[in-house]
């Protein structure tokens, strides 16, 4: 009965948001507007997961649309200017942006709504190029993501921990789908690919050519999470991709998470958080990454503050990790 009452209250909350304009900094009687969710280019997990989240929110009554972007870096900048209301981002990119570090120039006022699926990514290389270790990237042409997306924030620490710098190889920029084409055409010897497991680009790369997931040094895999809160050890099970005969011991290089502006209306963020949490089974039906919306993961800190609207819901749901473990700043 309590659960049914909660759903009724939630529906009323969504209706009130729609009537008030569903976003902005309060209902002022102006015409309702659409909320926007920044995702990423097609080919990676952000694009499809962002679409799944937005569909569930729209089906629950919100006026909301997903927008393809260049990814995390662009999303954070457009949140700050008010061009986006919510966005998907890699936790590593957000970590540095919120602090104004690693080339950002200033701190960007963004906060977490919920932590989503791990971004398990690594270098993938056709076996004909004989890239058997990170050290073998030296002198090669390597795709390192979309220009401006911020992939360098989590790639650079990985290669440098293996004794390799960006100056040791030729960095190329493309979408994940475009990167697979470059591997196929030998325009690149390796590409950094990944996202929620399984990732479409790695499925395509391993299905279309004999490819290798370049192994990480065991010590690096253990030490990086101790230096940065967004890294976590991760395993890709054997058989996930064609040719992967043993478990791949990799890294979550910064979980996908939903973020928003720090000054976003608290009620709007509360309703978005509540809806996605309570409708997580509907998200799973659209993409398996929805399984990450669970009690232990959704409020998990990746190193930045959560928005007060999200904290409010997590506390009501009894899953907020008191007292300060989920803030991290």
């Amino acid at each position: 009965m309590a659960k049914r009452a909660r759903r009724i209250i939630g529906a009323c909350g969504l209706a009130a948001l729609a009537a008030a304009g569903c976003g902005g900094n309060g209902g002022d009687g102006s015409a309702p507007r659409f909320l926007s969710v920044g995702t990423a280019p097609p080919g990676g997990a952000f694009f499809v997961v962002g679409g799944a989240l937005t569909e569930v929110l729209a089906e629950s009554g919100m006026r909301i649309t997903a927008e393809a972007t260049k990814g995390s870096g662009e999303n954070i900048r457009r949140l700050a200017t008010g061009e986006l209301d919510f966005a998907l981002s890699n936790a590593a990119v957000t970590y540095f942006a919120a602090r104004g570090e690693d080339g950002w120039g200033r701190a960007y006022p963004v906060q977490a709504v919920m932590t989503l699926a791990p971004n398990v990514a690594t270098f993938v290389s056709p076996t004909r190029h004989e890239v058997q270790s990170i050290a073998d990237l030296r002198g090669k042409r390597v795709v390192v993501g979309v220009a401006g997306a911020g992939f360098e924030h989590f790639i650079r620490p990985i290669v440098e921990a293996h004794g390799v710098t960006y100056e040791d190889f030729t960095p190329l920029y493309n979408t994940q789908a475009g990167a697979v084409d470059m591997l196929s055409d030998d325009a690149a010897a390796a590409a950094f690919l990944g996202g929620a497991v399984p990732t479409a680009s790695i499925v395509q790369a391993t299905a279309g050519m004999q490819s290798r997931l370049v192994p990480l040094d065991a010590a690096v895999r253990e030490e990086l999470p101790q230096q940065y809160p967004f890294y976590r050890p991760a395993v890709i099970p054997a058989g996930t991709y064609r040719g992967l005969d043993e478990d791949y011991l990799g890294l979550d290089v910064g979980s996908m998470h939903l973020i928003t502006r720090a000054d976003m209306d608290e009620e709007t963020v509360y309703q978005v958080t509540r809806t996605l949490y309570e409708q997580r089974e509907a998200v799973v039906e659209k993409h398996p990454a929805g399984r990450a919306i669970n009690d232990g993961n959704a409020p998990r800190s990746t190193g930045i503050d959560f928005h007060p609207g999200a904290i409010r819901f997590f506390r009501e749901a009894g899953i907020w990790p008191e007292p300060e473990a989920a803030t991290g700043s």
Side-chain angles (χ1 to χ4, degrees), residues 30-292:
S30 59
R33 69 176 181 86
F34 281 102
L35 292 170
S36 56
V37 180
T39 61
F46 277 31
F47 180 77
V48 288
V49 174
L53 298 178
T54 304
E55 285 179 25
V56 169
L57 292 170
E59 289 166 1
S60 298
M62 286 193 176
R63 296 170 59 85
I64 189 164
T65 56
E67 182 174 341
T69 67
K70 291 182 179 179
S72 301
E74 178 183 327
N75 288 345
I76 289 168
R77 293 182 178 90
R78 292 180 64 187
L79 280 173
T81 61
E83 296 174 68
L84 295 172
D85 300 299
F86 294 89
L88 291 182
S89 182
N90 177 282
V93 183
T94 316
Y95 175 88
F96 290 113
R99 289 164 172 74
E101 299 173 355
D102 200 21
W104 280 93
R106 68 177 180 88
Y108 281 74
V110 292
Q111 294 179 332
V113 176
M114 63 171 53
T115 303
L116 298 167
N119 178 25
V120 184
T122 191
F123 290 99
V124 178
S125 177
T127 56
R128 59 183 176 270
H129 289 288
E130 298 185 353
V131 177
Q132 301 182 42
S133 68
I134 301 297
D136 291 334
L137 295 176
R138 292 189 178 94
K140 303 292 197 302
R141 293 164 58 84
V142 182
V143 185
V144 291
V146 177
F151 282 26
E152 67 275 6
H153 295 299
F154 50 84
I155 296 178
R156 195 183 302 276
I158 292 174
V159 298
E160 290 182 350
H162 287 86
V164 178
T165 70
Y166 262 52
E167 289 68 36
D168 292 328
F169 57 82
T170 302
L172 307 174
Y173 299 91
N174 210 327
T175 63
Q176 294 210 41
V180 175
D181 291 338
M182 295 180 76
L183 293 178
S184 179
D185 295 340
D186 285 332
F192 198 81
L193 304 175
V197 179
T199 302
S201 58
I202 301 182
V203 170
Q204 183 181 356
T206 54
M209 64 198 99
Q210 189 173 1
S211 300
R212 173 185 293 113
L213 274 61
V214 181
L216 302 176
D217 184 85
V220 170
R221 186 172 177 267
E222 179 180 344
E223 292 167 4
L224 277 180
Q226 298 176 22
Q227 297 178 41
Y228 300 101
F230 48 80
Y231 286 122
R232 294 206 306 169
V235 177
I236 301 176
T240 300
Y241 302 113
R242 180 175 176 267
L244 188 65
D245 299 325
E246 298 180 353
D247 288 352
Y248 178 81
L249 304 182
L251 282 172
D252 172 358
V253 299
S255 288
M256 175 191 314
H257 63 170
L258 185 65
I259 61 174
T260 189
R261 303 188 301 274
D263 65 354
M264 189 67 180
D265 174 62
E266 182 179 321
E267 182 63 20
T268 301
V269 178
Y270 171 86
Q271 292 295 344
V272 166
T273 311
R274 181 198 62 77
T275 301
L276 292 176
Y277 179 84
E278 294 185 350
Q279 299 297 322
R280 56 194 181 276
E281 291 181 5
V283 179
V284 172
E285 290 176 1
K286 300 178 187 298
H287 195 283
R291 296 191 184 96

